[in-house]
Amino acid sequence: MPRVLSAACVGNGMRKIGKVLALGDMLLCLALAGVYGYIHGAGGELKQTPTAAMVEAEGPEEPVEIRRIALTFDDGPHPRYTQQLLDGLKERGVQATFFVTGEHAELHPDIIRRMQEEGHLIGNHTYSHMQLRKSNREVFKEELIRTNEILEEITGQEVVYVRPPYGSWDKSFEKELNMFPVLWTVDTLDWCSSNADRITEKIVGKVEENDIILMHDYYDTSVEAALKAVDALLEQGYTFVTVEEILFD
């Protein structure tokens, strides 16, 4: 679309030459219009465009600070509570990380697929929620492998992250299984409380940038508390991400 000269610019040009503008004077007036920084908008409204001097005076835009935190859930999927949680997270545009047990994933593969489709990260939490001990190392390893196979069959993706129950881990598994353990920085202890408000207060009061929050999607109070905490922390300017963004970015 050709630029339209302002009435002021045309008037000034006319007074300068006193006659019909020649081509060279038209170019001069166009240059003057650029100096003044005025053009007509698409709707006919006169708008001001920034000149180089204006941009220099304003300076470059400051980068926006993104404060990231990761919300993680263990033990699921639960046929009722995990669905409620997923509904709430989707409504808020929030992604989380789910460390699921193999036995529950086998029972509810549709929920696992929904997690994947909605952008959540899915990790391994053993098959039966087994705690690693010196006496059961091989059985524990077999549970990890079995759960990986179940999840990979459902999602078609390799499982990389593991949340070992109770935090018990053998570092040699990282090389043997090509898996990375994910612990936590904020433990809500939601599994031993039936007071959703108290759980929410614990999260909001403790959380800081780059924290990994431990919760469970196996209790109604946990789901209620998690969504309340999400609302409060979004208002504070936090951004929810999956754990790999905290660990490796």
Side-chain angles (χ1 to χ4, degrees):
M1 174 179 284
R3 295 178 66 181
V4 181
L5 297 178
S6 68
C9 180
V10 174
N12 289 337
M14 291 295 290
R15 283 193 294 272
K16 284 184 177 181
I17 64 174
K19 294 183 180 180
V20 179
L21 290 172
L23 177 60
D25 295 315
M26 284 288 290
L27 295 175
L28 173 62
C29 197
L30 282 169
L32 290 172
V35 171
Y36 290 131
Y38 286 98
I39 61 171
H40 281 287
E45 179 184 356
L46 196 63
K47 296 182 179 180
Q48 187 174 14
T49 57
T51 63
M54 292 167 63
V55 172
E56 183 178 353
E58 293 175 358
E61 293 184 4
E62 295 185 1
V64 177
E65 180 184 4
I66 300 177
R67 296 192 296 164
R68 301 179 299 180
I69 49 179
L71 195 56
T72 69
F73 297 91
D74 291 4
D75 297 358
H78 187 281
R80 178 180 176 185
Y81 302 134
T82 304
Q83 294 278 33
Q84 291 177 353
L85 177 61
L86 290 171
D87 289 343
L89 294 176
K90 182 177 182 180
E91 181 183 343
R92 292 159 174 80
V94 166
Q95 273 69 54
T97 303
F98 290 87
F99 293 100
V100 302
T101 64
E103 59 183 350
H104 291 148
E106 275 185 322
L107 291 171
H108 311 290
D110 54 325
I111 301 179
I112 299 297
R113 281 188 286 267
R114 180 182 175 185
M115 291 175 181
Q116 180 187 33
E117 290 168 0
E118 295 182 0
H120 304 290
L121 182 65
I122 302 169
N124 190 323
H125 199 46
T126 75
Y127 183 83
S128 65
H129 200 271
M130 173 179 286
Q131 182 176 8
L132 175 64
R133 305 180 189 277
K134 290 183 179 179
S135 60
N136 68 358
R137 183 185 186 279
E138 290 305 312
V139 178
F140 184 90
K141 180 180 176 181
E142 290 173 4
E143 286 215 358
L144 291 177
I145 294 172
R146 183 179 179 185
T147 301
N148 277 356
E149 292 172 348
I150 292 168
L151 293 174
E152 288 170 16
E153 183 177 353
I154 297 171
T155 66
Q157 294 183 345
E158 181 183 6
V159 181
V160 177
Y161 300 101
V162 54
R163 165 74 53 79
Y166 310 102
S168 301
W169 183 245
D170 183 335
K171 193 169 179 60
S172 63
F173 285 144
E174 296 171 27
K175 185 175 181 180
E176 291 179 34
L177 303 177
N178 192 31
M179 298 190 74
F180 192 88
V182 180
L183 300 182
W184 55 86
T185 56
V186 175
D187 187 352
T188 64
L189 298 175
D190 58 322
W191 57 273
C192 63
S193 175
S194 58
N195 188 322
D197 289 335
R198 187 170 299 172
I199 299 169
T200 301
E201 291 169 5
K202 183 178 294 186
I203 298 169
V204 176
K206 287 186 175 182
V207 76
E208 296 179 353
E209 184 178 1
N210 293 323
D211 270 337
I212 297 175
I213 305 166
L214 169 60
M215 299 194 74
H216 301 79
D217 53 326
Y218 226 74
Y219 311 96
D220 58 345
T221 49
S222 296
V223 172
E224 181 184 352
L227 296 178
K228 286 182 177 179
V230 166
D231 290 339
L233 293 171
L234 286 173
E235 287 185 2
Q236 293 181 21
Y238 283 99
T239 297
F240 287 88
V241 298
T242 51
V243 293
E244 80 275 20
E245 295 188 50
I246 298 289
L247 296 172
F248 298 111
D249 279 7

